[in-house]
Amino acid sequence: MDAFQVGTKAQAQAVDITRQVDSHVSAAAIEEGAVLVYCPHTTAGIYNNEGHDPDVARDVMAHLEKLVPRDGPYRHMEGNSAAHIRSILTGNGVLVPVSGGRIALGTWQRIFLAEFDGPRTRNVQLHYLSGGGNRVG
Amino acid sequence: MDAFQVGTKAQAQAVDITRQVDSHVSAAAIEEGAVLVYCPHTTAGIYNNEGHDPDVARDVMAHLEKLVPRDGPYRHMEGNSAAHIRSILTGNGVLVPVSGGRIALGTWQRIFLAEFDGPRTRNVQLHYLSGGGNRVG
Amino acid sequence: MDAFQVGTKAQAQAVDITRQVDSHVSAAAIEEGAVLVYCPHTTAGIYNNEGHDPDVARDVMAHLEKLVPRDGPYRHMEGNSAAHIRSILTGNGVLVPVSGGRIALGTWQRIFLAEFDGPRTRNVQLHYLSGGGNRVG
């Protein structure tokens, strides 16, 4: 496993982590398979979507805030239930194909850490999985 | 593949299944890789989020009910479209890292089966994936 | 990696791609493991849910449209932020178990490509992962 940290700067913020993921995969010399980009936290998410226009990530975060408002009513006393729920909606990990030693994203795809309860220092783990499947015979 | 069953007790309920997942992984003697915790149903989900305060899971389930109300209008005649849609929003499987023979969750993470159309007996499957990636040379 | 294309016919449409996924897995002679059904686009999703009654997929797509309306307000000038957000909510890949050379879905499960910004020609990639885990000793 590899890992790195991301410092978020706002309560809600999407941070493009594609470059860090790709350089770890390159350094690990994984040729084929997939990498599980995994966030061990419960109030942040990981998603894979467009990263060319920063307004898309802003729309994503603003709409998640509309769907799951910070002020409930919620029962959880810590006051961050909205962050937990948003993390479940995005998921806290994505599985990204690796091909020829690099992550194999589509033209517009980028990998984001979605902070829902920041600012904080977040850990991102990379778990490498073996490709090819187990073949017959 | 390993599998186990969970008996849910309400129409909507989040059940912490971490202990069962971890003991199957330990018994299977998987050293490194990941386990796909997979639900072969279409009106239940699997998610990975905080399990220390049971109020978080209650807030999650209540908010999903608000976002996707049981009474539509929906076209599907069986009357459980809301359960199908909630299952798609959470997803029906999570990929959990395995390290040193145990599932490697973050401090506050627990794995939940989310029942959206219970009470029922639900199947949970565990599919082990090989770690390490296919390395160069 | 295998891949195939899907031509979508409407702005929003769920297309059952189970047959194509299963025949590629059979042809690849994968015996055990999992297949990552992966969409390299940012305005379409992949989900695994019920495919017997086509009204369920219609309810899914209609409800996603209600949760994330096409007309914002959004900042992204291209006008398809709703499609990006819906893609994040469903996810753009699913990991499906493979057993005995076939995809191992539950009784009612089918794999869908969810078009959110069509009609278009979409690519679907199949990445095979090795099963079994890395065992002790």
Side-chain angles (χ1 to χ4, degrees):
Chain A
M1 180 190 75
D2 281 331
F4 60 90
Q5 293 194 317
V6 178
T8 62
K9 311 231 179 296
Q11 191 182 81
Q13 183 193 9
V15 182
D16 185 334
I17 58 172
T18 313
R19 196 183 47 75
Q20 293 98 308
V21 172
D22 194 46
S23 44
H24 277 94
V25 168
S26 297
I30 305 300
E31 185 63 15
E32 184 199 3
V35 55
L36 171 61
V37 183
Y38 184 81
C39 180
H41 306 288
T42 59
T43 55
I46 303 279
Y47 72 79
N48 173 350
N49 205 264
E50 116 103 64
H52 185 72
D53 176 5
D55 274 343
V56 174
R58 288 187 200 113
D59 285 341
V60 168
M61 297 303 279
H63 199 78
L64 286 171
E65 192 149 349
K66 198 179 290 185
L67 287 176
V68 191
R70 176 149 280 268
D71 304 314
Y74 300 113
R75 299 166 62 134
H76 181 47
M77 295 298 287
E78 267 184 71
N80 61 354
S81 272
H84 290 293
I85 298 165
R86 291 180 208 164
S87 162
I88 290 168
L89 291 182
T90 60
N92 59 8
V94 291
L95 192 54
V96 179
V98 174
S99 175
R102 306 292 298 272
I103 53 172
L105 294 170
T107 311
W108 305 105
Q109 291 182 324
R110 306 285 290 177
I111 305 164
F112 288 88
L113 171 90
E115 172 64 80
F116 298 122
D117 194 29
R120 295 211 204 184
T121 300
R122 297 297 197 172
N123 298 300
V124 178
Q125 300 175 356
L126 304 177
H127 299 271
Y128 304 115
L129 299 180
S130 302
N134 306 52
R135 298 198 181 242
V136 181
Chain B
M1 181 190 75
D2 281 331
F4 59 90
Q5 293 193 316
V6 178
T8 61
K9 310 229 179 296
Q11 192 181 81
Q13 182 193 10
V15 182
D16 186 334
I17 58 171
T18 313
R19 194 182 48 75
Q20 292 97 309
V21 172
D22 193 47
S23 43
H24 277 94
V25 168
S26 297
I30 305 301
E31 185 63 15
E32 184 199 2
V35 55
L36 171 61
V37 183
Y38 183 82
C39 180
H41 306 288
T42 59
T43 54
I46 304 279
Y47 70 79
N48 173 352
N49 204 264
E50 115 103 64
H52 184 72
D53 175 4
D55 274 343
V56 174
R58 288 187 199 113
D59 284 341
V60 168
M61 297 304 279
H63 199 77
L64 285 171
E65 192 150 348
K66 198 179 290 186
L67 288 176
V68 191
R70 176 149 279 266
D71 304 314
Y74 301 112
R75 300 164 63 132
H76 181 47
M77 295 298 287
E78 266 183 72
N80 60 356
S81 273
H84 290 292
I85 298 165
R86 291 180 208 163
S87 162
I88 290 168
L89 291 182
T90 60
N92 58 9
V94 291
L95 193 53
V96 179
V98 174
S99 175
R102 307 291 299 270
I103 53 173
L105 294 171
T107 312
W108 305 104
Q109 291 182 325
R110 306 285 289 179
I111 306 163
F112 289 88
L113 171 90
E115 172 64 81
F116 297 122
D117 195 29
R120 294 211 205 185
T121 300
R122 297 297 195 172
N123 298 300
V124 178
Q125 300 176 356
L126 304 176
H127 298 272
Y128 304 115
L129 299 180
S130 302
N134 307 51
R135 297 196 183 243
V136 181
Chain C
M1 180 190 74
D2 281 331
F4 59 90
Q5 293 194 316
V6 178
T8 62
K9 309 230 180 296
Q11 192 182 80
Q13 182 193 11
V15 182
D16 186 333
I17 58 171
T18 313
R19 195 183 48 75
Q20 294 97 308
V21 173
D22 193 47
S23 43
H24 277 93
V25 168
S26 296
I30 305 300
E31 185 63 15
E32 184 199 3
V35 56
L36 171 61
V37 183
Y38 184 81
C39 180
H41 307 287
T42 59
T43 54
I46 303 279
Y47 71 79
N48 173 353
N49 204 263
E50 115 102 64
H52 184 72
D53 176 5
D55 274 343
V56 174
R58 288 187 199 112
D59 285 341
V60 168
M61 298 302 281
H63 199 77
L64 286 171
E65 193 150 349
K66 197 178 291 185
L67 287 177
V68 191
R70 176 149 280 267
D71 305 314
Y74 302 112
R75 298 166 64 133
H76 180 48
M77 294 297 286
E78 266 184 71
N80 61 355
S81 272
H84 290 292
I85 298 166
R86 291 180 209 164
S87 162
I88 290 168
L89 291 182
T90 60
N92 58 8
V94 291
L95 192 54
V96 178
V98 175
S99 175
R102 307 292 298 272
I103 53 173
L105 294 170
T107 312
W108 305 105
Q109 290 182 326
R110 306 285 290 177
I111 304 164
F112 289 88
L113 171 90
E115 172 64 81
F116 297 122
D117 195 30
R120 294 211 204 185
T121 300
R122 297 298 196 171
N123 298 300
V124 178
Q125 300 176 355
L126 304 177
H127 299 270
Y128 304 115
L129 299 179
S130 302
N134 307 51
R135 299 202 179 239
V136 181

